[in-house]
Amino acid sequence: MAYDIMVLGSGPAGLAAAVAARSRDKSVLVIGNPWQDSPLARAEQVDNYPGLPGRTGMELLEEFYRHAENAGAEFVVGKALSLLAWNGFSVTVGSQVCQGNALILAPGVVRSAKYPGEAEFLGRGVSYCATCDGMLYRNRPVVVVGLAPDSPQEANYLHSLGCQVVYVSPRQPQGLEDGIPYVKAGKLAVQGGQTVTGLEADGALLPCAGVFILRRAVAPTDLLPALETEEGVIRVDRRMATNIPGVFAAGDCTGGPLQVSKAVGEGHVAALSACEYLDHQLTKERKETHDPFQQGDL
Ligand SMILES: Cc1cc2nc3c(=O)[nH]c(=O)nc-3n(C[C@H](O)[C@H](O)[C@H](O)COP(=O)(O)OP(=O)(O)OC[C@H]3O[C@@H](n4cnc5c(N)ncnc54)[C@H](O)[C@@H]3O)c2cc1C
């Protein structure tokens, strides 16, 4: 089933967008890490959100989440790994593919400083998704760069496929299978020729055919390379429309001030603009279906 609107990100901007889109009776799917993952959850006290002073960030987030849920938004909890903009939008979360006719990006600030060689070898040995690409490396040596809480599970999955896995991370992993060697390292560089041949980890070379770089979130520009940015943030107009038709953006991802009230306001505007876009598309389709000149009847 294709939802009217897919929202990527379950922080204040994404949840506000979901509430606003539901108030226009659109079907809404919110895709995101658990809502507790928003940086707002770390705020001990939020005093500048109108009408609700003194709440903790966690309390505010939970109220936003319950509001969106009660309004009828649906949720898929997980990391969006890939995005296809064709005939609407398809987003992959684990092994699940979600579809929508309009898309609102609300991923917050995704820190995506890349390792040397990462962008160069993306798709030629570098991958962000063990579930999507693991089979390509069956029985071959791979390195997992574990930067997210679920990275050990992803490494275990690759191991179960028969990949010879080495796990690299600055911190000791929890839940890594015994058969997987762990290398503590932080300074990394991908090496290769036509394709990846190894990963340099704190000066030592780990030969491999694939490098899985598993961060907490995939940046929107990695999901949608055609997305235009300006000084590192997604470029939007006053309707929160991006340069890609049907794609809107809201919250910290569009730049400062990095504040809840700005994120919520932008989420609201993005949702109304997405609804307008969908209604316009529908009118266009109806016109085309009923226009005898378009049908070639005359
Ligand atoms: C310690 C702290 C205190 C703060 N205090 C205040 C305050 O008092 N007042 C105030 O106004 N603001 C405060 N802020 C700022 C506020 O938290 C942010 O401005 C706000 O959370 C931005 O909301 P957002 O929805 O744009 O993004 P976020 O809250 O960052 O939410 C985005 C969500 O999308 C998820 N996501 C991103 N990419 C993907 C992907 N590929 N797949 C799945 N999920 C993804 C992220 O994991 C995250 O959960 C504080 C921030 C911090 C860190």
Side-chain angles (χ1 to χ4, degrees), residues 8-15 31-49 61 78-81 106-110 216-220 223 250-253 257-261 263:
L8 175 55
S10 45
L15 295 169
I31 297 169
N33 291 320
W35 58 264
Q36 297 88 337
D37 205 65
S38 160
L40 184 60
R42 301 204 299 275
E44 282 179 21
Q45 188 165 326
V46 181
D47 277 332
N48 61 349
Y49 190 73
L61 274 169
K79 182 162 57 176
L81 296 166
V109 178
V110 179
R216 276 187 107 83
V218 180
L223 292 171
D252 283 4
C253 66
L258 306 183
Q259 300 275 272
V260 181
S261 43

Side-chain angles (χ1 to χ4, degrees), residues 106-246:
V109 178
V110 179
R111 312 215 180 269
S112 65
K114 293 197 165 41
Y115 296 114
E118 177 181 339
E120 187 187 342
F121 288 105
L122 185 61
R124 293 190 294 130
V126 169
S127 168
Y128 298 135
C129 176
T131 313
C132 323
D133 297 333
M135 286 299 274
L136 301 173
Y137 298 93
R138 207 168 194 173
N139 302 322
R140 297 167 77 195
V142 300
V143 176
V144 170
V145 178
L147 304 169
D150 62 350
S151 302
Q153 283 71 46
E154 301 277 295
N156 296 345
Y157 166 71
L158 290 168
H159 192 231
S160 75
L161 292 179
C163 300
Q164 297 135 33
V165 183
V166 174
Y167 192 95
V168 174
S169 168
R171 273 172 297 280
Q172 178 78 38
Q174 303 289 318
L176 192 66
E177 277 176 11
D178 286 345
I180 303 177
Y182 163 59
V183 175
K184 185 177 163 76
K187 197 163 175 248
L188 309 179
V190 182
Q191 308 267 329
Q194 290 283 62
T195 57
V196 165
T197 54
L199 181 79
E200 201 181 298
D202 284 352
L205 186 66
L206 303 170
C208 62
V211 178
F212 289 86
I213 302 175
L214 307 179
R215 298 190 172 88
R216 276 187 107 83
V218 180
T221 41
D222 287 327
L223 292 171
L224 209 49
L227 195 65
E228 280 179 10
T229 56
E230 203 167 3
E231 295 177 11
V233 297
I234 301 175
R235 195 166 68 75
V236 285
D237 63 16
R238 280 188 60 80
R239 296 166 48 246
M240 309 316 296
T242 69
N243 64 305
I244 301 172

Side-chain angles (χ1 to χ4, degrees), residues 25-94:
D25 209 23
K26 301 295 184 202
S27 58
V28 178
L29 180 70
V30 181
I31 297 169
N33 291 320
W35 58 264
Q36 297 88 337
D37 205 65
S38 160
L40 184 60
R42 301 204 299 275
E44 282 179 21
Q45 188 165 326
V46 181
D47 277 332
N48 61 349
Y49 190 73
L52 300 169
R55 309 287 172 103
T56 65
M58 200 64 114
E59 284 167 349
L60 262 188
L61 274 169
E62 184 162 11
E63 287 184 61
F64 294 162
Y65 173 76
R66 297 275 167 241
H67 192 169
E69 190 182 45
N70 292 337
E74 293 179 37
F75 291 82
V76 166
V77 179
K79 182 162 57 176
L81 296 166
S82 69
L83 198 167
L84 182 68
W86 184 79
N87 205 8
F89 302 93
S90 305
V91 175
T92 309
V93 185

